[in-house]
């Protein structure tokens, strides 16, 4: 009992008289000046559209090629592609005699040149902020198909109309990120949140009816029709995985 009490007394003395310390850990696999990196980002756009009702979605993750100019300054060039197609069916008439199908499509191919500044290079968690200039192109389209089913009022009614336009996109964005290096491997897992404004310029539009090309739509007309979407403010969350390497 005396021995036990003595050990407790010693332990208590050690706890009560101990001094707190703060140590900074520099990991050996942290990206440094001269390193390159490949970054894969699964964006909120991907998560939102995969499995959505009436939507067919194909995409590759956002890919960034990175170069560490210094231990804290990073240059990056990213690119992204996706293709989305949505459809919705509607019926009208007492016996659902007429079926109207509304479809829309969008494709996007974007480049993201940018820079990022990493804060303290001595901590395990890497926090950074950056800016990028998204630029790219794609297409948008809307089509309507009306099909007359069985019934006197609807029989023989069938028409297809729609338009497709090419789009040039350009904008500016800012982001903040956090990543953690995994064990002793040159890998980092992280998350980014960004906001951006994007200008959409529509050009080379076409109008079709019943599968036949009718006329080209003037670019100014498309811009007028879509003036509400010429400037678009958005945000995005990215789950990131980066691999770093050196060519030396």
């Amino acid at each position: 009992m005396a021995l036990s009490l003595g050990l407790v007394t010693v332990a208590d003395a050690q706890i009560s008289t101990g001094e707190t310390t703060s140590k900074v850990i520099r990991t050996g696999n942290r990206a440094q000046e001269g390193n390159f990196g490949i970054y894969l980002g699964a964006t909120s756009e991907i998560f939102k559209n995969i499995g959505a009702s009436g939507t067919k979605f194909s995409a590759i993750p956002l890919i960034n090629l990175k170069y560490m100019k210094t231990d804290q300054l990073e240059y990056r060039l990213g690119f992204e592609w996706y293709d989305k197609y949505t459809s919705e069916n509607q019926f009208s008439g007492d016996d659902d005699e007429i079926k109207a199908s509304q479809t829309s499509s969008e494709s996007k191919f974007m480049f993201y040149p940018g820079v990022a500044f990493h804060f303290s290079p001595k901590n395990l968690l890497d926090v950074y902020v950056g800016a990028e200039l998204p630029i790219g192109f794609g297409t948008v389209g809307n089509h309507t198909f009306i099909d007359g089913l069985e019934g006197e009022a609807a029989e023989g009614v069938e028409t297809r109309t729609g338009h497709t336009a090419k789009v040039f996109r350009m904008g500016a964005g800012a982001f903040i990120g956090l990543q953690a290096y995994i064990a002793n491997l040159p890998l980092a897992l992280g998350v980014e949140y960004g906001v951006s404004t994007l200008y959409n310029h529509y050009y080379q539009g076409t109008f079709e009816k019943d599968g036949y090309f009718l006329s080209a739509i003037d670019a100014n007309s498309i811009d007028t029709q879509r003036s509400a979407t010429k400037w678009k403010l958005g945000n995005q969350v990215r789950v990131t995985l980066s691999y770093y390497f050196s060519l030396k």
Side-chain angles (χ1 to χ4, degrees):
M1 290 180 64
L3 180 60
S4 299
L5 290 173
L7 292 174
V8 170
T9 302
V10 172
D12 181 67
Q14 289 177 344
I15 293 174
S16 62
T17 60
E19 296 181 0
T20 59
T21 61
S22 176
K23 294 183 179 180
V24 176
I25 302 174
R26 183 183 179 101
T27 58
N29 65 318
R30 187 185 179 94
Q32 300 175 5
E33 178 180 344
N35 288 163
F36 292 86
I38 298 177
Y39 152 130
L40 298 178
T43 66
S44 51
E45 186 76 22
I46 293 178
F47 292 120
K48 179 177 67 176
N49 286 288
I50 290 179
S53 178
T55 299
K56 294 180 180 180
F57 186 75
S58 302
I60 60 173
L62 173 63
I63 299 176
N64 261 311
L65 304 178
K66 305 195 289 186
Y67 173 69
M68 299 299 296
K69 179 66 176 178
T70 69
D71 283 0
Q72 294 178 271
L73 181 61
E74 169 197 312
Y75 295 154
R76 56 168 61 185
L77 175 62
F79 59 93
E80 177 186 30
W81 168 86
Y82 76 76
D83 192 14
K84 181 170 66 172
Y85 175 88
T86 60
S87 64
E88 181 182 358
N89 293 326
Q90 298 177 343
F91 293 88
S92 63
D94 295 336
D95 299 317
D96 289 338
E97 296 172 343
I98 299 178
K99 179 179 72 173
S101 176
Q102 181 72 39
T103 65
S104 62
S105 61
E106 180 182 10
S107 66
K108 181 186 291 186
F109 190 89
M110 300 291 295
F111 291 96
Y112 295 91
V115 296
F117 178 80
H118 297 251
F119 293 100
S120 174
K122 298 181 179 180
N123 290 322
L124 183 62
L125 291 178
D126 180 18
V127 182
Y128 56 93
V129 295
E132 58 191 12
L133 298 174
I135 183 171
F137 53 89
T139 61
V140 293
N142 287 284
H143 292 80
T144 301
F145 171 60
I146 299 177
D147 183 16
L149 304 178
E150 299 296 330
E152 294 182 2
E155 189 173 0
V157 176
E158 182 175 305
T159 182
R160 301 171 186 264
T161 59
H163 71 268
T164 304
K166 294 182 179 180
V167 190
F168 172 74
R169 298 180 169 98
M170 181 174 62
F175 57 87
I176 183 170
L178 171 68
Q179 63 180 0
Y181 291 87
I182 303 173
N184 291 320
L185 301 176
L187 294 174
L189 182 64
V191 62
E192 287 182 0
Y193 173 77
V195 294
S196 64
T197 180
L198 202 62
Y199 173 75
N200 299 278
H201 172 65
Y202 300 89
Y203 68 102
Q204 291 187 4
T206 60
F207 179 77
E208 301 174 18
K209 184 174 181 180
D210 295 337
Y212 294 97
F213 168 79
L214 294 183
S215 62
I217 301 177
D218 182 76
N220 293 328
S221 174
I222 298 175
D223 273 344
T224 300
Q225 295 174 19
R226 293 180 170 271
S227 59
T229 60
K230 287 175 63 176
W231 282 99
K232 186 176 182 180
L233 181 67
N235 55 30
Q236 191 178 74
V237 177
R238 305 165 180 171
V239 178
T240 68
L241 178 65
S242 299
Y243 172 81
Y244 292 95
F245 61 94
S246 176
L247 298 181
K248 296 180 181 180

